[in-house]
Amino acid sequence: MRLVKLLANLGYGSRKEMQTAIRHGWVTDREGNRLKADARTAHEDILFDDEPLDPAQGVVLLLNKPLGYTCSTKDQGRLVYDLLPDRFRVRKPVLSTIGRLDKETSGALLFTDDGTFLHRVISPKSEVPKVYEVTLDRPLKGDEGILFASGEMMLESEVKPLKPADLEVLDDTHVRLTLHEGRYHQVRRMFAATGNHVTALIRSHIGGLGLTGLDEGEWRLLSDADKDAIFSAPAASGQ
Ligand code: URA
């Protein structure tokens, strides 16, 4: 891809601005040689303003989403994109979230600009499990695990029963719930249907990928091994 287009797609500026940047010598290789617009230098060897370029297309990243951030590019208030470098909001192809978390849910949230990867993660065929740590307003009644695992639970205004979900009871107001699908506000609606109310919700794992090493608001690019972990089962303890 031509250098001007590459830089513009990565969000460094408009094509016109990138022509100017190249003309001013702000785009170099690692030896400090100024690059021309038709340079065929490898992505990892290009520097913009002495800094390595943002990653090439095919990005998958994991954010530990804090409470109060919306999964949108343009809603009012704080957005998950505010936690990433500014350029990531305007990259082409777009960097989208893989699924969503509610504004008042925290935890593991994936982003990618790779449509094939996105569809693989959200495809019902992949059955990527998602693990949630849930705090409840009232003590469990005791039969929630059986109901959630039944494969027959219907949520209000839906026509298809929920897939079986696994409930691990930690104490009478704290549970770990593993879902094998992702419906709108699913965890909150499941507990609401049992007469309870979720007061805190954290997604700890997507498949076998957890949040280890990431504080709230932090993100990291995923390696191939991390990406593979998404399609493996979460550890039984939720760790
Ligand atoms: N279930 C919910 O209710 N909210 C989320 O953010 C994710 C799953």
Side-chain angles (χ1 to χ4, degrees), residues 8-232:
N9 283 357
L10 290 173
Y12 285 86
S14 66
R15 289 195 189 198
K16 208 166 170 200
E17 286 164 340
M18 292 307 94
Q19 279 161 358
T20 308
I22 290 170
R23 222 179 307 123
H24 281 84
W26 298 339
V27 189
T28 64
D29 65 16
R30 288 187 181 271
E31 279 73 51
N33 303 307
R34 292 173 164 211
L35 296 182
K36 298 211 176 110
D38 59 357
R40 299 213 160 261
T41 313
H43 191 106
E44 59 275 18
D45 293 329
I46 303 174
L47 305 187
F48 188 97
D49 220 1
D50 293 330
E51 296 290 333
L53 287 192
D54 291 343
Q57 191 195 343
V59 169
V60 183
L61 67 86
L62 174 68
L63 170 73
N64 185 351
K65 177 193 172 298
L67 294 180
Y69 286 78
T70 308
C71 292
S72 158
T73 47
K74 48 180 183 288
D75 272 17
Q76 297 212 319
R78 288 178 292 177
L79 309 177
V80 287
Y81 288 91
D82 299 343
L83 299 161
L84 305 178
D86 282 346
R87 283 193 292 273
F88 283 24
R89 200 189 300 243
V90 292
R91 277 174 72 105
K92 284 189 207 125
V94 289
L95 190 66
S96 17
T97 61
I98 304 184
R100 286 166 172 242
L101 289 177
D102 303 337
K103 187 174 177 187
E104 297 313 329
T105 302
S106 58
L109 179 67
L110 294 170
F111 292 73
T112 191
D113 60 358
D114 178 343
T116 308
F117 186 80
L118 184 148
H119 285 111
R120 190 173 161 220
V121 177
I122 62 173
S123 164
K125 273 194 216 140
S126 301
E127 290 201 10
V128 172
K130 286 155 212 116
V131 184
Y132 295 89
E133 308 284 332
V134 190
T135 306
L136 298 163
D137 190 30
R138 284 169 227 150
L140 292 161
K141 291 179 181 148
D143 57 359
E144 291 88 345
I146 295 170
L147 175 65
F148 293 172
S150 68
E152 290 171 6
M153 184 178 186
M154 290 290 287
L155 290 178
E156 217 180 289
S157 71
E158 299 220 357
V159 290
K160 251 177 100 180
L162 295 178
K163 285 188 181 170
D166 312 313
L167 186 75
E168 186 185 341
V169 177
L170 305 176
D171 65 37
D172 62 357
T173 54
H174 293 93
V175 299
R176 183 172 292 133
L177 181 63
T178 304
L179 302 184
H180 302 272
E181 60 186 336
R183 303 206 198 171
Y184 180 67
H185 288 177
Q186 185 169 342
V187 177
R188 295 176 202 277
R189 290 165 74 210
M190 285 170 77
F191 281 101
T194 71
N196 214 324
H197 177 70
V198 171
T199 56
L201 187 55
I202 304 169
R203 182 155 72 191
S204 66
H205 286 77
I206 300 174
L209 182 72
L211 288 164
T212 309
L214 279 185
D215 286 335
E216 279 199 6
E218 290 183 343
W219 62 274
R220 67 180 174 86
L221 293 173
L222 296 191
S223 64
D224 287 342
D226 292 323
K227 287 188 236 170
D228 288 345
I230 293 171
F231 301 99
S232 67

